[in-house]
Amino acid sequence: MHIFMSLLTNNIIPQNPQGIAGAFVSHPADLILTLTSASSREEGESKDWKTIVQELLDADGGILNLYSGFPARAVFFFLVIGLQFFLYDYLKSQLGVGTDDLTLVLDVFYAVRQGLL
């Protein structure tokens, strides 16, 4: 239980605001991509991204329409990113992997990529 609480307070909670900020920044582009893809599946002429953005901005709500569905995406990012950090740190502590071990692995990957091994 001590490891869980330590991981929760030291790693998961501090990392989630960054994940939610990433979701906030990328949400309009993802929404436009989703709407573009959906319009290509409908009968008739598919809409390009410029038309979709213009329709979103012209509708009631204006620029806030670009963040339609953001709360659900923020919760998803919060849970997924938090779980990733938790699993990474938990397994790292349970397997006794330290920073030096991770540095060594990266050095080996670099050497392989450069053709030194």
Side-chain angles (χ1 to χ4, degrees), residues 108-117:
V108 170
F109 287 158
Y110 176 78
V112 168
R113 189 161 192 215
Q114 296 299 319
L116 301 173
L117 293 179

Side-chain angles (χ1 to χ4, degrees), residues 5-77:
M5 292 307 292
S6 173
L7 290 173
L8 183 67
T9 57
N10 294 331
N11 297 315
I12 296 171
I13 293 173
Q15 299 299 331
N16 274 312
Q18 291 140 349
I20 293 172
F24 183 80
V25 169
S26 66
H27 187 74
D30 189 49
L31 177 68
I32 293 164
L33 181 65
T34 301
L35 293 175
T36 304
S37 177
S39 76
S40 68
R41 293 186 182 132
E42 297 173 357
E43 289 186 26
E45 189 175 328
S46 64
K47 300 175 185 175
D48 67 341
W49 68 271
K50 293 175 190 174
T51 305
I52 290 172
V53 170
Q54 193 60 49
E55 287 176 0
L56 286 170
L57 294 176
D58 290 343
D60 288 344
I63 198 162
L64 293 177
N65 292 331
L66 292 173
Y67 290 95
S68 173
F70 174 73
R73 184 179 168 122
V75 169
F76 173 76
F77 270 59

Side-chain angles (χ1 to χ4, degrees), residues 99-109:
T99 304
D100 293 338
D101 298 323
L102 296 173
T103 303
L104 178 62
V105 169
L106 292 175
D107 288 343
V108 170
F109 287 158

